[in-house]
Amino acid sequence: MPTYGQNSIQEFMSHMQKNPPAYSSLYHVEFNKLPNVLMKNGSAIAGEFNLGDSGSLGRNLTYYANEVTVPSRQITTGEQKAVGAMYRYPTSTTFSEISMQFTLTRDMLTRTFFERWMNYISSDANQYVSPYNDCIVPELNIWKLERGGGAPVVKPGLQAGAMYNQVTAVWRLYNVFPFNISSFTLSNAQSNLINMEVS
């Protein structure tokens, strides 16, 4: 049986087949419910805000999410110096905000959703701020998937060997609310898709 060193191409190829690299282009964004400021008596204030499988908004938030920035994690530190060189010690953990970029549809539903959400958080009419628990979405999930690797697909007419995509990671964010919606530019130059970033 041959042995391979650290620089072996055979060892590298074998390892790549067993542990392939992750792709950035397969993910799923899921808001688990609407914020209370957009609800009345258990249903959406505006009927178009439907997060269910049959709702346009739920599909827009998933299908048109072009870029999703996964939050970073950082250990904050303090400094100590007695004799000699200064050294750092860990104190706490902080997380960054996340941002999502959406391609807007012609009905501007995604933009309207976030605009209305922010308006109910802090209204232009009175400058009051809604209670915290009414402003937030309790849970936002970002699912990371990889091609194949899941359970086999068993459907008539589908070739043998097809497999569902495999969920390899999930980021579960609690008590989420938008604090910034980016601007976008309308132009008579070459037509491009309109994208909007939400922080």
Side-chain angles (χ1 to χ4, degrees), residues 74-160:
Q74 180 181 354
I75 299 292
T76 58
T77 60
E79 297 180 357
Q80 178 68 35
K81 179 177 174 64
V83 177
M86 178 270 294
Y87 68 91
R88 297 179 185 272
Y89 57 90
T91 58
S92 184
T93 301
T94 61
F95 299 91
S96 68
E97 295 91 3
I98 68 166
S99 63
M100 297 183 178
Q101 184 190 86
F102 298 94
T103 296
L104 298 180
T105 52
R106 294 183 180 185
D107 59 6
M108 294 288 168
L109 179 61
T110 305
R111 177 88 186 191
T112 303
F113 167 66
F114 285 107
E115 286 268 15
R116 186 133 351 146
W117 187 356
M118 292 180 72
N119 187 61
Y120 280 120
I121 290 174
S122 179
S123 174
D124 296 335
N126 54 30
Q127 298 299 310
Y128 292 151
V129 177
S130 297
Y132 176 77
N133 288 337
D134 290 339
C135 300
I136 60 173
V137 164
E139 192 175 307
L140 166 63
N141 294 316
I142 303 170
W143 303 87
K144 179 67 188 82
L145 301 99
E146 294 297 338
R147 303 168 189 173
V153 179
V154 182
K155 290 185 178 178
L158 198 65
Q159 68 179 18

Side-chain angles (χ1 to χ4, degrees), residues 8-46:
S8 167
I9 186 64
Q10 291 89 350
E11 178 72 21
F12 171 74
M13 293 174 64
S14 174
H15 184 75
M16 290 289 286
Q17 288 177 347
K18 294 176 183 177
N19 300 282
Y23 290 94
S24 63
S25 60
L26 198 57
Y27 53 89
H28 175 77
V29 177
E30 177 190 47
F31 288 76
N32 72 332
K33 62 171 289 190
L34 291 172
N36 289 338
V37 290
L38 293 178
M39 302 284 287
K40 186 175 183 180
N41 298 326
S43 59
I45 294 174

